[in-house]
Structures are given as structure tokens and as C-alpha cells.
Amino acid sequence: MNLSLKTKAALVTTLAVLATVSLAGGWLYHQQARDHVALLRSQQDTLASAMAADVDYRLAANLAVLKLAARRVDEAVLASPRAQARFFEVSALRPPFNGVAIVAADGMVVLNDPPNPGPVNIGDRDYFRQARVTGQSTISAPLAARSIGHPSVLMTVPLFDADHRFIGALAGGLDLLSDNVLGELGRTRIGATGRYEIVTRDPSPVYVVHPDPSLLLKPATNLATLDDFDTRRDFITRRTLRNAPWELRIVIPAREAHGPLLRARHTLLLSLLLTGLGTVLAVSAGLGWLMRPLETLWRAMREQRRTPDVVVPIDTRADDERGRLAREFEGLMRELRAQRAEMAAVSDTSPLGLFRAGLDGRLSYVNDAYLRIHGFAKREEAAEGWIGMLPPSDQDEARQAWRRIVTEPVGMHVTRRLRRADGREIVVVLRSAPIVIDGKVQGHVGTVADVTERIEGERALRTQAAIFEATTDYVVQTDRKGRLLYVNPAARRVLGLAPDAPIRHLTALSFNPPATVARHAVEIVPTAIEKGVWAGETLQWDAQHRELLVSHLLLAHKDRHGQVEAFSAILRDITAQKSAQQALHRSEAVLRSLTEVVPMAISVVDKTQRCVFANQGFEAWIGRPRDQLLGHTAQEVLGDAEYALRRPWIERVLAGERVTFERDDPSREQHRHVRVDYIPLYDEAGEVEGFVAVTTDISAARAEERRLRDLALTDPLTQVLNRIGFEQALDDRVAWTTEGGPDALVALLYIDLDRFKPVNDLYGHAVGDQLLQIFATRLRHLVRPTDLIARLGGDEFAIVLNGLHEEANAMIVADKVVAAAEQPFELPSTPPLQVSASVGVAFWWPGQNGAGGGWPQALERADAMLYRAKAAGRGRAVANAP
């Protein structure tokens, strides 16, 4: 192919320029990408280091506060609920912690602030065992707190007595769902969409902090390597915390982190395109200068170029290259004028809003679409564009930011949500590019697109697709010939198709029994084509060719000419539903039979409080036959007095609340204790239409509870009080303030058997237990029925003497205890055994406002006197001065 000089020169020059610009642009883009990533990495490293240091500082501060408070917890606080309460009042631990607990050495929570709903033991928790073994403060791994069930982190400080023996721990909890040092971090944003995360530092990390509460305690991403230049991945910065085995992460989503690079790439491509166009024009002008014979034509072309809207006469008669070029140029100018006219018309009719902004940020040109999108009636209203649609409080800041943008040599691409003057909210996408003349920015031109409907449509499509993918119904789409186009996961499972198996070679009728295929031909498809939809029930095959009864909906999709393009079918397996309906009828009959034989009184009351059902148990409980109950109101059935008592509970259950209460029922021949359950009944709309009343005789259960409670307070070996029963009895003895008058004494005898351990070692624990039983029997013979005897553990006993008038009375009893212990113990399997007893005695006056302290202080003094008796030679009683 022969090419003219003009064509050769234009091709060579254009290709050279484009190659040079492409290489330079690519190098500049990579330099810009490297600088951007380096700057972003530097900023995020600084932020991550600062935030990690801040979290470490706050954790250390919380732990320091907990350690400081732990210094005030000793054995006396662990033993006294009042001391524990005073400790919580002055500890000031609640502001830094969501919950604080004092824990005994065995892991049992002694007291919790806020209180626990029931007993809690944390002895099996790793953080407690670590504090107990190492004697060091610990910060737990994230866990679900047993007291509240929330994701939490526990700080634990071990407690020691004066001899540095472990006696328990002080624990502070941080609820990861509450406002605290960790919870606030999860809700903190970085930039527009960035976030903070904290994960555990182990092979299988879990989330400690995350903006989404549902991910707490769930497995976290294990980051092996990070590539800062991968624009598809989130930009992540990591720092290790010093005070906890955790890792702080700053996560900037890829869209926000690499947005400038993507925009720079688009700008580079646009620049290449503009450069190519500019090169073509430059080469055309250069050829005119090089080609002297075409000078006249070049001048005419230059004039025509200066005034494109004015027709400049050009000699087109020559039959050489100049003539051909002149004719081509004249045709080109006609096309250019036509294009300019078309562009003017396109600008006025374009759905995109077009604008030009000067360096002051004000708009000097907008087209009709711009006015229509923003709801402006006149062009004068559009001087400030979208800025005038912002709230007044935001306009100054937005105006200053826009003025900075229009002076920059880079374009802008942003999506904004605006409220028009008519109150309608719109979402617009704004793009602009700089106008650069002689290397200086003269303003920006750009477009505005109203994407409100598109965004709403995309959201609707995503929702529809998510519904199809998640629904348990079977969704199938075919072309007009029945070939499969789409099968949702539920349908693939029932048809035995793998999730990624191809389906275009299959037809929907391949999965239908012959009878259903025939119905498609004569009924289903014709009806759907005629009316647009067919609904009914059909039989389908599953993967094993078993027949399923399905509810079937077939839709016919037509083009604008009424021709069928595709079909959509929605099917629901109702095989189990049909079987369930039949089973339901059987179950109702069985249930009605069961209600007649259960040992409970059952009745059903409608929302007008009339009895609509009563079983035989209810007839027996009320004492009237069923025909005198049905149709009658609850007040008529129960009687005025009983109805008045139950009316508040009846109103609550009719409001939708399940109600349970217990009460004594003295109306029976034998006094009984019953539990009544009111269970609301709902109709299909969720409205309460009545309730079921179930009355159960729980007299035997309550008697068993009392028996078990007594067993919990009694020492099983000696049948005297154990330590828990002893302390509870001391707390409950309010009669001490009146028995014997205000001057009456109460004495506490703390008893320890001497030389009891050799008996156990020599003859075994069985013999030792028999000796303890005999000694407890001897003690019973020494005291009055109103006095207390308890075995506190091992060979330790205690006696409380109430209503004494002088200390000598207590010492008489104490001496009798010493004498009783010294009497030989005659046992069948051993020679007579000889032991002794040491007794410590302490006093207090309950009637004189607790003079001498309460029983805990008296117990401490009696213990001290016991040790004095042992130090003085054992086998004696020693009392403190009252």
C-alpha cells in the first residue's frame, strides 16, 4: 500500500510522541504510586504506634488502679460482707471497669459489683489460675463473662495475707460492648471508612476489638504478609501491644486507601488520549509549514481554524494533493461546524449536568440538565452550585474546600448526597478536570450525574439476588425454549447439581415426572403466556427421582412486543407441610387426651376472660363439673376473692407476658402449695387471644427443698451445725438483743481437740470420726437448747452461750468442755482413747449497740484465746477481758 508523505509523517510523529508520553506517564504514575504508598505507610505507622502506646498506657493505668485497690483487701475483708461493701464504696473501681469482683482462693466469687444473679466460680479460668500460680497480675484472653454473658476482658490482681500466702484475687472486667478503654476504640473511625481492630497474638487469633460487635471473640484474619502496593487489598498497619498478648491493627479499606492512585491512573489515560489528539493537530499544522506548495491552503486553513463558525473560501479546484487536501479540509470543517452545533444541542439535551467553574469557585456556565438535577429555576441560582444545597452551617467550609479544588491541576471525582429546595434527597456523582492554559490552571469543567435511581435500583437488585441465593425456595429461570439460565443454591441441592456445575445444556422439564411434563404443555405454560403467571401445585423429581409435592409459581417475561423472552419459576417443597398438617390433627387429638390424664389442673381462657376448655384435673381442683365452667368468666369460676387476688396476673398475661406465681391453697382438705403458670396464646397476626392456665401441686417439692436446705447447714458427721449454718444462725439471732435484758452477755467458746491427730494417724479416720461423734454428744449435754453448737472443721468446735449475766457462767461451761474432752473415749475396736481440749472464750453485748463488736470480732478474739490456751500447756480454757 502506497502512503503519501503526509500520512507517513503523521504516523511516525504521532507514534513517537505517544510512545514517549506513555513511557513518561507510566514512570510518573509509578513514582506517584510509590510516593503515595510511602506517605500513607508513614502516616499509618505513626498513628499505629501512637494508638498502641495509648492502649498500652490505658491498660497499664487500669491495672495500676486495680493493684492499688488490691492493697486494701485482706483476710478481714474476704471474711466480712460489710467490709467488702465498704471496700466497694471507697475503691472507685467502677469508672475504669464495668464490673469488679472479689474472688476467694478457690475461685468462688465472694462479691461482685454489680451483683451476680447467682453463684459464680472462676477457679477454672486460665487468668485466675495464672494469677494464683505466678502471683503476678494478669490480663485475660477475650472471653464470654459468666456473670453477664458479654464478650469481656478480665484484669486480675492476686491477694496475699501477711505471710504472702495466696488468699484470693481482685478482678476488674472490661465489657467489650460498653464504653471503656477497649469498647470506645472499636467505635472510633479513621478517615471516612477506616477502623481499629485488636486481635489476639497467637496462631489462631480472635477479635478483641472490632466495630462489628457480632465478630467479637470470633476468628480473625491471620495476616501472613502485607503488600502495600496491591490496590485490591485493604491497607493494614500492625503494632504489638506491650501490656497484653494482642496486636493492634489499623485497617483502611482499599477503596479509600488507594483511591488517589486509581484516579491518577484514570487521569493518565485521559492525558494520553488528549495527547494523541493534540499530536494529530500539531502534525497537521507542521505539514502545512513543511509543504511549501500548500502555503496558500495552509493560510486559509489557519484562518478557518481561528474562526471555525465562519466559512472561509478555499480553492478546492486543484487536482493535486493540495486540492485533495483542500477538499478534505473543507469537508472536515463542515463536519466540525456540524459537530459543534451537535455538541451545543447535546449539551442542552444531555442528561448529564455540565458546568464550568472559575478560580473563585463560582460557576460561569451550566446546562439545562444541571439546573434540572439540582432543582434550580434560573441560572442565577446555580452560581454556587451544590454548595448552596448544603446546610448553612456547612457551606463556608465546603466553599473553601471547593475553591482549593478548582485551583489544583488535578481532577475530582466525588459522590454526594444533597437535599434540593423542594425537599427531595438526591445522590449525585461529580467529576471535574482542570482547565490548564500555558501551564496555569484557569478553572475546572465537569459533569454532574443524578445516580439516585441507579443506586436504589442496584440496591434492589442486590437485595433480590441475596434473597434468591439465601431462600430455601427453589428459584429457576429458563429461556423461552426451557433451557436453564439460572438455578439458585436451594434448587441445585435438591436437584443434585454442584454449586459450580454448568446448566446451560439442561432443560427444566428434565426434572419433572411425565405427568407434570404433560401439564406444562397443556396447562401451565399456555396459562403463563396468556396471563403472565400460573400458580398451583405440581410434582417434581429430586436428585434420586423421588417425587416432591411443591407449590409452583411460573412467570412469563415478555419484551415490549409481547414476545416471551424467558420464564421464572419459584417452587416450595410442601411435602412435609402436608404431612405436618395431617400430623397436626393427630397431635391435637393426642394432646387433648394427654391433658385429661396429666396430674395438673389445665384450663384455657379467651381474651374476654371466659373459660373455653378445662381438663378433669381442673374440674377436681375447682370442685364443679365441666358444664358449669365452660363459657363462664374467670371471676365466676374462681370466686370474687380469688379473682381479685389473681386479676393483676390475668391482666399481665392478656398483655402478652408469661406469668408464673406460687401461693398457698388453704381451701383444700389438706393445706397445699401450688404453682400457677399463665401462658399467653397468640393468633396468626401475633395478637393475644387468651391464655392457658396450668396449676401444679408443688407441696412435695417445697418440702424436699426445705430438707435439702437443712442438710446444707448441718455437719453430716456430728449432726451439729457446720460453719455455714453456724454463721447463718449467728446472723439470724435477732432475739439476742432482748433475751436476758440489755446487760446480758453472749459468750463464744472456740474449742480445739488436743492430740487428735495421733488418733487419726494410729487408728484411722473411721475411729477419729467416732471420737468426734461422741465428743459432739457430750457437748450437747453441757448446753441449753437455746445455745448453739457447731463443728467448724476438722477437730474444731464452737459454742455460743446466749443471755449470760456474768462471765463466770461461760467459764463454768468452758471448764466442763475441758473435763468432757479428758474423759476416756470407749470404742469397740480400740483401747480407751485419751485426748484433751483447749478452749478460747470471748464476749460481746448485743443489747448495748454491739459493745465489744459483733460475732465476727468475737470469733477472732476467741481464736486468739484458743492459741493462748495451747501455748499455756493445752487442756485448759482462756478468756479475754470483756
Side-chain angles (χ1 to χ4, degrees):
M1 181 175 61
N2 294 325
L3 298 177
S4 65
L5 177 62
K6 170 186 174 182
T7 302
K8 293 178 181 179
L11 288 176
V12 171
T13 305
T14 300
L15 291 176
V17 171
L18 286 178
T20 302
V21 172
S22 298
L23 291 174
W27 182 83
L28 288 174
Y29 171 75
H30 286 292
Q31 289 295 108
Q32 184 180 10
R34 186 184 63 185
D35 294 344
H36 170 77
V37 170
L39 176 61
L40 185 59
R41 171 53 61 196
S42 174
Q43 292 173 341
Q44 296 307 306
D45 285 346
T46 302
L47 178 59
S49 297
M51 185 54 66
D54 182 68
V55 173
D56 274 324
Y57 170 77
R58 293 191 182 189
L59 292 175
N62 278 27
L63 195 57
V65 171
L66 198 63
K67 289 180 179 178
L68 183 61
R71 297 177 183 175
R72 296 195 294 272
V73 182
D74 54 17
E75 293 176 288
V77 173
L78 287 173
S80 171
R82 294 187 182 93
Q84 296 162 10
R86 288 195 301 272
F87 167 75
F88 277 142
E89 290 174 0
V90 302
S91 63
L93 288 174
R94 284 307 302 277
F97 294 97
N98 301 109
V100 184
I102 297 177
V103 186
D106 60 354
M108 181 60 69
V109 176
V110 177
L111 190 62
N112 197 78
D113 183 18
N116 287 327
V120 176
N121 190 299
I122 63 171
D124 60 335
R125 291 291 201 185
D126 290 341
Y127 63 87
F128 178 81
R129 290 189 290 186
Q130 182 180 356
R132 180 170 57 194
V133 173
T134 65
Q136 301 294 323
S137 302
T138 63
I139 298 178
S140 76
L143 48 78
R146 288 177 177 166
S147 57
I148 60 176
H150 289 184
S152 304
V153 170
L154 277 297
M155 294 184 175
T156 308
V157 177
L159 303 175
F160 304 96
D161 60 10
D163 297 328
H164 203 68
R165 290 177 299 186
F166 180 82
I167 61 173
L170 180 63
L174 297 175
D175 186 350
L176 300 181
L177 301 182
S178 302
D179 292 331
N180 51 48
V181 61
L182 298 177
E184 293 175 354
L185 184 64
R187 289 183 286 278
T188 302
R189 284 292 183 187
I190 306 172
T193 58
R195 65 182 182 272
Y196 290 104
E197 297 176 357
I198 293 181
V199 302
T200 57
R201 200 168 66 247
D202 50 49
S204 300
V206 298
Y207 285 111
V208 182
V209 172
H210 196 279
D212 185 353
S214 65
L215 294 180
L216 297 180
L217 309 187
K218 299 294 180 61
T221 305
N222 197 341
L223 303 176
T225 59
L226 297 177
D227 183 2
D228 290 350
F229 291 91
D230 189 346
T231 58
R232 298 168 299 176
R233 293 187 176 182
D234 296 342
F235 197 88
I236 301 177
T237 306
R238 308 158 63 185
R239 286 294 182 274
T240 299
L241 298 182
R242 292 182 292 104
N243 291 328
W246 303 337
E247 177 182 270
L248 172 70
R249 297 177 179 177
I250 296 180
V251 181
I252 307 298
R255 181 182 295 273
E256 180 176 351
H258 302 291
L261 290 180
L262 298 177
R263 291 193 293 272
R265 185 186 300 169
H266 296 160
T267 302
L268 175 62
L269 294 176
L270 180 61
S271 300
L272 289 175
L273 177 61
L274 295 176
T275 301
L277 294 176
T279 301
V280 171
L281 295 177
V283 169
S284 299
L287 287 177
W289 179 78
L290 291 174
M291 300 174 70
R292 294 293 183 183
L294 301 177
E295 182 69 23
T296 302
L297 178 60
W298 174 80
R299 292 182 184 276
M301 292 169 62
R302 184 178 61 180
E303 183 65 25
Q304 185 71 79
R305 183 181 175 189
R306 290 176 178 175
T307 57
D309 294 329
V310 178
V311 178
V312 177
I314 298 177
D315 184 6
T316 60
R317 293 172 298 176
D319 198 23
D320 53 11
E321 288 184 345
R322 184 182 64 179
R324 291 194 297 271
L325 182 60
R327 288 189 291 273
E328 288 296 325
F329 180 73
E330 185 179 48
L332 177 63
M333 292 310 299
R334 284 197 300 269
E335 293 178 3
L336 178 60
R337 287 190 292 270
Q339 290 177 0
R340 288 175 62 86
E342 292 172 359
M343 286 300 298
V346 168
S347 175
D348 291 337
T349 59
S350 171
L352 292 177
L354 307 179
F355 68 90
R356 185 189 189 282
L359 294 177
D360 59 355
R362 297 177 66 83
L363 305 185
S364 58
Y365 167 78
V366 295
N367 68 344
D368 292 342
Y370 189 96
L371 299 176
R372 186 170 57 255
I373 291 172
H374 291 79
F376 295 138
K378 299 181 295 183
R379 279 180 166 73
E380 291 77 7
E381 299 176 1
E384 288 196 319
W386 53 269
I387 295 177
M389 302 173 67
L390 296 176
S393 58
D394 299 338
Q395 290 185 9
D396 288 341
E397 182 180 355
R399 188 177 294 109
Q400 294 175 6
W402 174 240
R403 288 175 179 172
R404 288 194 299 270
I405 290 172
V406 297
T407 60
E408 295 293 331
V410 293
M412 181 186 70
H413 181 190
V414 67
T415 301
R416 289 189 176 276
R417 185 175 294 274
L418 305 175
R419 182 178 295 276
R420 298 176 10 145
D422 57 9
R424 185 166 70 90
E425 282 195 355
I426 59 173
V427 180
V428 298
V429 175
L430 185 149
R431 292 182 174 87
S432 74
I435 304 172
V436 181
I437 301 177
D438 297 332
K440 295 182 180 180
V441 177
Q442 302 298 320
H444 271 228
V445 294
T447 62
V448 176
D450 184 353
V451 296
T452 308
E453 292 184 0
R454 189 192 76 191
I455 290 178
E456 292 176 351
E458 291 174 350
R459 184 184 299 113
L461 287 176
R462 289 194 299 270
T463 301
Q464 183 185 47
I467 292 173
F468 284 170
E469 291 295 305
T471 184
T472 57
D473 291 341
Y474 313 141
V475 181
V476 178
Q477 292 182 332
T478 70
D479 62 14
R480 58 193 181 93
K481 294 184 177 180
R483 291 186 292 262
L484 292 181
L485 301 176
Y486 170 77
V487 179
N488 77 333
R492 283 179 177 267
R493 288 192 296 269
V494 76
L495 297 176
L497 297 176
D500 56 350
I503 58 174
R504 293 300 181 96
H505 64 288
L506 301 174
T507 65
L509 296 181
S510 303
F511 304 98
N512 288 267
T516 305
V517 173
R519 285 188 66 191
H520 271 81
V522 301
E523 174 193 350
I524 299 175
V525 173
T527 302
I529 294 175
E530 177 185 357
K531 299 181 178 180
V533 62
W534 177 90
E537 296 180 359
T538 61
L539 291 175
Q540 303 290 321
W541 276 337
D542 65 4
Q544 287 76 37
H545 273 216
R546 294 174 300 195
E547 289 188 346
L548 304 176
L549 180 63
V550 298
S551 172
H552 192 154
L553 178 70
L554 182 66
L555 302 173
H557 305 289
K558 300 180 181 180
D559 59 19
R560 60 181 181 176
H561 302 296
Q563 299 298 315
V564 174
E565 292 181 321
F567 292 97
S568 293
I570 303 175
L571 305 96
R572 176 173 297 175
D573 185 356
I574 60 174
T575 307
Q577 179 182 341
K578 290 290 186 180
S579 300
Q581 289 176 352
Q582 297 171 356
L584 178 60
H585 294 306
R586 293 192 298 270
S587 298
E588 288 177 349
V590 172
L591 181 60
R592 187 173 293 272
S593 300
L594 287 175
T595 58
E596 296 298 335
V597 297
V598 293
M600 293 180 288
I602 302 175
S603 61
V604 179
V605 180
D606 65 14
K607 60 184 177 182
T608 65
Q609 299 191 24
R610 293 188 178 275
C611 181
V612 296
F613 172 80
N615 71 343
Q616 293 178 359
F618 189 77
E619 287 181 307
W621 181 66
I622 292 295
R624 279 181 280 169
R626 199 172 307 185
D627 56 3
Q628 295 182 14
L629 301 175
L630 300 181
H632 292 269
T633 65
Q635 185 172 0
E636 294 169 344
V637 172
L638 297 173
D640 294 340
E642 184 70 14
Y643 177 76
L645 178 66
R646 298 193 181 201
R647 181 175 178 178
W649 294 318
I650 293 175
E651 291 175 347
R652 285 167 58 187
V653 72
L654 287 177
E657 177 185 355
R658 177 167 181 158
V659 178
T660 299
F661 60 91
E662 297 179 10
R663 66 183 301 263
D664 290 325
D665 186 9
S667 63
R668 310 296 109 188
E669 294 180 359
Q670 182 181 1
H671 186 84
R672 310 301 291 171
H673 191 77
V674 298
R675 185 187 70 200
V676 181
D677 292 281
Y678 285 166
I679 306 166
L681 293 175
Y682 297 91
D683 59 17
E684 294 181 353
E687 300 293 334
V688 178
E689 61 178 4
F691 65 94
V692 178
V694 181
T695 303
T696 309
D697 186 346
I698 59 172
S699 304
R702 288 293 176 263
E704 179 64 13
E705 288 179 4
R706 288 192 294 271
R707 187 184 71 81
L708 293 176
R709 184 165 58 249
D710 292 340
L711 288 176
L713 302 178
T714 304
D715 177 46
L717 178 64
T718 62
Q719 297 305 308
V720 298
L721 295 175
N722 60 17
R723 179 177 287 274
I724 295 176
F726 178 67
E727 293 178 355
Q728 181 172 320
L730 288 174
D731 287 333
D732 293 343
R733 292 299 287 267
V734 295
W736 287 347
T737 61
T738 58
E739 292 180 4
D743 296 327
L745 275 172
V746 176
L748 193 152
L749 283 61
Y750 204 139
I751 306 164
D752 183 76
L753 291 178
D754 304 321
R755 296 186 295 278
F756 176 73
K757 185 176 184 300
V759 174
N760 268 344
D761 295 342
L762 184 59
Y763 298 106
H765 288 283
V767 172
D769 289 346
Q770 294 178 36
L771 189 150
L772 292 176
Q773 291 171 337
I774 296 172
F775 182 65
T777 302
R778 293 177 182 178
L779 292 181
R780 289 193 190 94
H781 294 304
L782 300 178
V783 298
R784 301 164 296 178
T786 58
D787 297 328
L788 299 179
I789 304 176
R791 181 187 177 204
L792 302 183
D795 57 355
E796 294 182 354
F797 292 82
I799 295 176
V800 177
L801 304 174
N802 183 29
L804 301 179
H805 292 287
E806 55 185 16
E807 298 87 345
N809 295 336
M811 297 308 299
I812 292 173
V813 177
D815 291 338
K816 290 181 179 180
V817 171
V818 173
E822 291 177 347
Q823 296 177 13
F825 289 84
E826 302 286 347
L827 300 177
S829 60
T830 65
L833 301 178
Q834 195 75 37
V835 297
S836 62
S838 298
V839 182
V841 184
F843 304 91
W844 82 97
W845 293 266
Q848 297 183 6
N849 296 323
W855 69 262
Q857 292 75 20
L859 185 62
E860 292 177 1
R861 295 196 300 274
D863 186 35
M865 295 301 103
L866 172 62
Y867 280 97
R868 283 193 189 179
K870 286 183 176 293
R874 306 175 186 268
R876 66 193 66 216
V878 177
N880 75 315

